[in-house]
Structures are given as structure tokens and as C-alpha cells.
Amino acid sequence: MTLPERPADVVWDITYACPLRCTHCYSESGRRPSRQLDPADLLRVTDALIALRPGWIALAGGEPLLVRGLAEVARRIRAAGIGVALYTGGWSLSDWTAADLLTEFDRVNVSVDGATPAVHDRVRGRAGSFDRALATLERLDGAAGRLRAAGHRSAEFGVDCTVVRSSLHQLDQLCATLAARLPHLDFVWIGAAMPIGLASRPSFVDAELLDDEQADALADPATGERLRALLPPTVTVAVQDNRMLQVHPDHLARGWYPFLQVEPDGAARAMPIYEGTVGSLLTEDPGEVWRRCVQRWSDPFVTATLGPVRTMRDWAAATRRLDRHFGDRLVRARIERRPAHLAGQPG
């Protein structure tokens, strides 16, 4: 395997604070200390990420809009010529306006995980979250229309939808709703929930994780074509089963997409989506931290664990094994505290 000298993209979970309690959350945001840095240290980590020269840096969480100093982080990234994206649950813009988001960022993603409050709110773990997310999208849509009509720069904005069994049947309805309510929408990204974090729990796998037949149907090009037909041709629609993110040895051999995932305090996850860090971008050379990440992908334990994975259920079992092996004492204790997922209820 040729080792990439830098990540193509970075996902920085800039805080674990969150008003939502998503059933599939890989980071268990909202259920643990936020670990977010003060503004000065945020900029130190920002500079370390810039030094790696990725194409994009996505600020996620948790809820990034809760972070003091977020605007300065975004400005510094953009000033370095790197694209900066925001992922938000859309619960509240807090001190931000929609126009602020569209001028400070290059792309704004709002999570919508169902076409009705009953489904979305259960997946997101809080009543009212569907209406709030749609209201945020409508504010972004109005602001985008005004900015673009006046000839001003406006970030792309759109929807990021994570699919579980209870929402799979609502994808057509979701696309039709978005088409009717958001005339300036730029994209809709639809991806299967991955069996990581809370979604790796056996109880969640049994109740909500797509099975292999459902994942195959989601990834079928015909599904994307059907959903694109429900939206204007100006809207980019991407539909994925997300299985390429396993860090499976076969995927590495074919050219795995090299991205870096960073925790709120600047610790770098050795492999995106799985537990286990290999260094701190706050205190160590970023190039050395990235080198350790790349080395982990071909670690004998990793290849032995992921090599046999062929099904979604296999993947969930491999995740649990990797997380316990590479996670530290606190990570393992957090895993042991996870409650069982109860079908039909949040959590």
C-alpha cells in the first residue's frame, strides 16, 4: 500500500456537547463531557490541521454551533485556501444567523434522518428536532436566495440523511418534502448508518441497522436515480451504503479514501469512526500524528479483525472488537455503560 502523505479531508468533532441524543451516534455526544478547547487552543489545533493541507476540514460534533470561537476557526481555515464545512443538527442557530453560516462556511450540512417528526425525532432522540431542523433549513434557504440574488457569495447548503430501518421507507417522502419547501437547496446526501459507536450495539444491530439486502438496495444506482427524479436537477443527490469506510484490507488495496478524524481536544483517531487515538495535534507534530494513523490501517490486529468482514453484522462485531482493543480504560468503561437499544424508543 502506498502511504498517503496527507489526509484528503479532515473531520473534526469540535465538541461532544449536543442538544440531541441520536440513537446511532458514534461519539455518544450529549452523553459525555464536551471536551471542547478554549478559543486559543482551538486555533492551535486549527493551525496543525492546516499544516497537513487537506482539501476540506469539516467541523462536526456534537453540535459545533455551541462552540465559542467557531467563526474564527472557520475564517482561519478558509484564509488558508482550504474548504470548511459545518455539520449541524439544526436544533438552534444560537447566536448565528443563517446569513452568517452561509458567509463563514463553504458548505453547511443539516442532519435530517426521516420525513416525519415521528421517525426523525425518535432517531435523533428529542421531540421537536424535526421541526427545528426544517426551520433551520428554511432559514438557510431564504438567506441563500437573498445572497445569491444580490450577487453575494453563499455557501452550498443541504441535507445529510443517515438511514436506519425505520426511516428507509421514507426516503422518497423526504426528497419530495425538501423539493417542495427548499427552492435553493444544493444537495442531499443519503448514507446508511454505520455499525460504529452506539450503532454497533447488538440490540441496535437487531432493531435498526440495515441488513445486507437493504444496504445493497440503498446502494443500487436505481435508488439514486429514483430519488434524483423527485428533486430539481440543480440538487446534487448522493446515495451510499458507507461500507467503503470500514478500513477493510480489500478497500485499502483498491485505494481507500484517506481522511483524518479528530476529537474535540485535538486527539487524532488512528482510524476514522473507530475508537483509539495515536497522538495530539495540540502538542505534537501533525505530520508524525498522521504517519501513526496510516500505520494503524495495516496493523496485524486490524487486518485480522476486518479481513473476514463480509456482512453488516460482521462489521458491527468487528467494531466492538476494535473499540475494546484500541480504546483506553475510559473508552472501555464508557462502552460498558451503554444501555441496550430499545426498539421504538430513543437511546
Side-chain angles (χ1 to χ4, degrees), residues 193-197 199-201 205 209 274 312-313 315-317 319-320:
M194 293 179 283
I196 57 177
S200 70
R201 293 173 291 175
V205 174
L209 191 72
Y274 302 117
M312 295 292 278
R313 192 172 289 273
W315 187 5
T319 297
R320 295 193 296 270

Side-chain angles (χ1 to χ4, degrees), residues 240-324:
Q240 307 174 73
D241 60 19
N242 285 328
R243 284 181 277 202
M244 275 297 291
L245 298 179
Q246 289 175 6
V247 201
H248 192 286
D250 292 349
H251 299 158
L252 290 176
R254 293 198 299 269
W256 182 72
Y257 186 71
F259 74 96
L260 172 67
Q261 189 154 15
V262 182
E263 299 192 348
D265 57 5
R269 289 197 175 205
M271 296 183 292
I273 74 178
Y274 302 117
E275 297 281 0
T277 61
V278 291
S280 171
L281 294 166
L282 186 63
T283 60
E284 298 182 78
D285 175 70
E288 171 61 21
V289 173
W290 172 244
R291 186 185 65 79
R292 292 180 207 147
C293 292
V294 173
Q295 286 181 331
R296 177 66 60 82
W297 305 345
S298 54
D299 179 280
F301 186 86
V302 172
T303 57
T305 301
L306 289 172
V309 169
R310 295 293 180 270
T311 68
M312 295 292 278
R313 192 172 289 273
D314 290 345
W315 187 5
T319 297
R320 295 193 296 270
R321 189 176 179 213
L322 289 169
D323 287 352
R324 286 188 169 88

Side-chain angles (χ1 to χ4, degrees), residues 1-298:
M1 177 180 67
T2 301
L3 302 183
E5 296 181 356
R6 59 189 178 89
D9 291 340
V10 171
V11 176
W12 184 7
D13 294 323
I14 200 166
T15 182
Y16 288 146
C18 189
L20 305 178
R21 300 293 183 271
C22 301
T23 60
H24 56 282
C25 185
Y26 68 85
S27 66
E28 298 178 74
S29 290
R31 302 167 172 88
R32 57 189 295 196
S34 67
R35 285 176 51 189
Q36 68 193 52
L37 299 170
D38 62 37
D41 282 341
L42 281 176
L43 294 180
R44 289 175 62 192
V45 174
T46 301
D47 288 341
L49 293 175
I50 289 170
L52 290 171
R53 304 306 305 171
W56 281 83
I57 298 175
L59 303 177
E63 177 49 71
L65 294 180
L66 298 175
V67 174
R68 185 167 59 94
L70 182 69
E72 182 57 33
V73 169
R75 291 186 197 118
R76 188 167 294 205
I77 294 169
R78 289 187 59 228
I82 297 170
V84 59
L86 172 76
Y87 282 77
T88 174
W91 179 262
S92 172
L93 295 187
S94 187
D95 295 330
W96 293 75
T97 67
D100 288 336
L101 294 183
L102 293 173
T103 53
E104 296 288 5
F105 294 89
D106 294 301
R107 192 171 65 220
V108 179
N109 303 57
V110 180
S111 295
V112 181
D113 292 346
T116 60
V119 170
H120 173 96
D121 291 3
R122 185 187 53 73
V123 173
R124 288 268 146 186
R126 187 163 183 183
S129 57
F130 178 80
D131 290 337
R132 282 179 175 250
L134 266 291
T136 292
L137 282 163
E138 289 179 331
R139 290 173 65 184
L140 289 167
D141 191 84
R146 291 188 293 272
L147 286 168
R148 295 167 188 176
H152 298 309
R153 175 191 174 276
S154 170
E156 292 186 333
F157 82 98
V159 167
D160 190 82
C161 175
T162 300
V163 184
V164 294
R165 287 187 206 175
S166 60
S167 66
L168 181 61
H169 70 288
Q170 291 199 331
L171 294 181
D172 294 72
Q173 184 182 352
L174 174 61
C175 290
T177 298
L178 297 175
R181 295 177 64 167
L182 305 170
H184 303 290
L185 186 71
D186 294 301
F187 60 85
V188 178
W189 294 346
I190 297 168
M194 293 179 283
I196 57 177
L198 291 176
S200 70
R201 293 173 291 175
S203 53
F204 186 92
V205 174
D206 291 340
E208 281 282 52
L209 191 72
L210 299 189
D211 62 28
D212 300 299
E213 183 177 347
Q214 291 168 327
D216 289 343
L218 181 67
D220 190 315
T223 300
E225 292 172 9
R226 187 185 79 241
L227 298 177
R228 286 185 194 95
L230 298 170
L231 288 152
T234 54
V235 178
T236 299
V237 180
V239 186
Q240 307 174 73
D241 60 19
N242 285 328
R243 284 181 277 202
M244 275 297 291
L245 298 179
Q246 289 175 6
V247 201
H248 192 286
D250 292 349
H251 299 158
L252 290 176
R254 293 198 299 269
W256 182 72
Y257 186 71
F259 74 96
L260 172 67
Q261 189 154 15
V262 182
E263 299 192 348
D265 57 5
R269 289 197 175 205
M271 296 183 292
I273 74 178
Y274 302 117
E275 297 281 0
T277 61
V278 291
S280 171
L281 294 166
L282 186 63
T283 60
E284 298 182 78
D285 175 70
E288 171 61 21
V289 173
W290 172 244
R291 186 185 65 79
R292 292 180 207 147
C293 292
V294 173
Q295 286 181 331
R296 177 66 60 82
W297 305 345
S298 54

